[in-house]
Amino acid sequence: MERIYLDNAATTPLSACVVEAMRPYMQAGVEAPFGNANSVHSVGREAFSALEDARARTARAIGASRPDEVVFTSGATEADNAALLGMALGQRERLRLKGRAGGHVVMSRVEHDAVLHCASALKRLGFEVSFADNDSSGRVSPESLAAAMREDTVLVSVMAVNNEVGTVMDTASLARVAHERGALFHVDAVQALGKIAFDVGALGVDAASFSAHKVGGPKGVGVLYLKTRTPFEPFLVGGGQERGLRSGTQNVAGIVGCAAAIEHAVREQAAFADRARCWRDGLYERLRVIPSVHPVVDVACGDESFAPHIVSVCVRGMESQTTILQLDMRGICISGGSACSSGSLEPSHVLSALGVARNLAQGLVRVSFGEYTEQAHIDAFLSAFEEVTA
Ligand code: PLP
């Protein structure tokens, strides 16, 4: 049975260029480039030069103005945690030195858990957290962000593309609203990179999180973009690597793969988006006529206010897990919203924020496309889906 993988928002297969870039690092023995990038000797310097090359290439691809604005992390969860806690604490310290208080953070209700769960950590640190209202697509308008902000708001975090339903936010306008009111702006750009045009410089954000494994790179590597002079207290402390912003010996092999993946995803973005948008529109059209299917968001043909790679619908009277397992038995991999909460029978917090009824939300299924997707995979999914939901 051919394996059909349509869960690319959860993770992606490695891109061929990533495997090539990482191959030298996967060799055994002392002749391989295995060094600690912080060692003084030649083996260390060789690793350091690979690390700095990866940093410069990543910075260019995401639109950073300097390589040292790129901090390599263990993934987007770490980048999100570091951004939320590190920037909030950095801001508090900056304001304390000026004799002012600043203890308020704003985020959206549709954030990935990696951001959302920082709310309780922030509260334990003495910050107050508010949530900006969203519309029925999960979109936060500049006006609703402005309404959620206060005099003492130090940080705003709103994702660029929602991972469950594909809503694209107006990141540039949201960042502008945050800045006009004196706060910093962080964006979780995990599902935006390689899917929509995304340039941290043009968007004017202070910080952004990326994950290699969502764009054909290895798991366990990510990037925190941190604009020069952004107030930040390091989240991981220790040996002072990454200019003291993220301690821990760098995963050079993973970072080389991460840079190759990000460069490749950005280079291919426009072509991929055109392809994926056709698949998305065609799939929604065919799903809408199935009586038990309820589309979660209203995506028009060619609609660029939704990501091209995500299709989300609820199946009435059938729990996500059942649909997923029935399709899996037919060789097709999809998910029920976020991969992190796939084991949970609780309806997704994103659908609750969109106002979708609990019984309907329990039937959420998400199909997501990637580099290796073909029209034939979508056709196979559709005929299997029609069979299991009949
Ligand atoms: N943010 C978003 C929007 C995601 O989709 C994910 C992955 O599911 C993450 C953060 C977490 O990324 P990572 O798996 O690299 O920790």
Side-chain angles (χ1 to χ4, degrees), residues 9 75-77 80 112 114 159 161 163 188 190-191 211 213-214 340:
T77 299
D80 283 340
H112 187 272
M159 69 202 319
V161 169
N163 52 304
D188 176 329
V190 169
Q191 299 291 344
S211 180
H213 76 98
K214 308 284 185 178
C340 316

Side-chain angles (χ1 to χ4, degrees), residues 1 3 42 66-67 89 131 161 185 237 282 286 310 319 327 332-333 360:
M1 187 163 51
R3 187 146 82 169
S42 57
R66 299 160 51 140
L89 288 171
F131 296 90
V161 169
F185 188 84
V237 292
R286 290 165 73 182
I310 294 177
E319 284 196 348
L327 288 168
I332 297 167
C333 303
L360 200 53

Side-chain angles (χ1 to χ4, degrees), residues 250-271:
Q250 290 95 340
N251 168 8
V252 177
I255 288 169
V256 165
C258 174
I262 289 179
E263 268 190 329
H264 177 62
V266 171
R267 202 183 314 117
E268 296 297 319
Q269 183 269 319

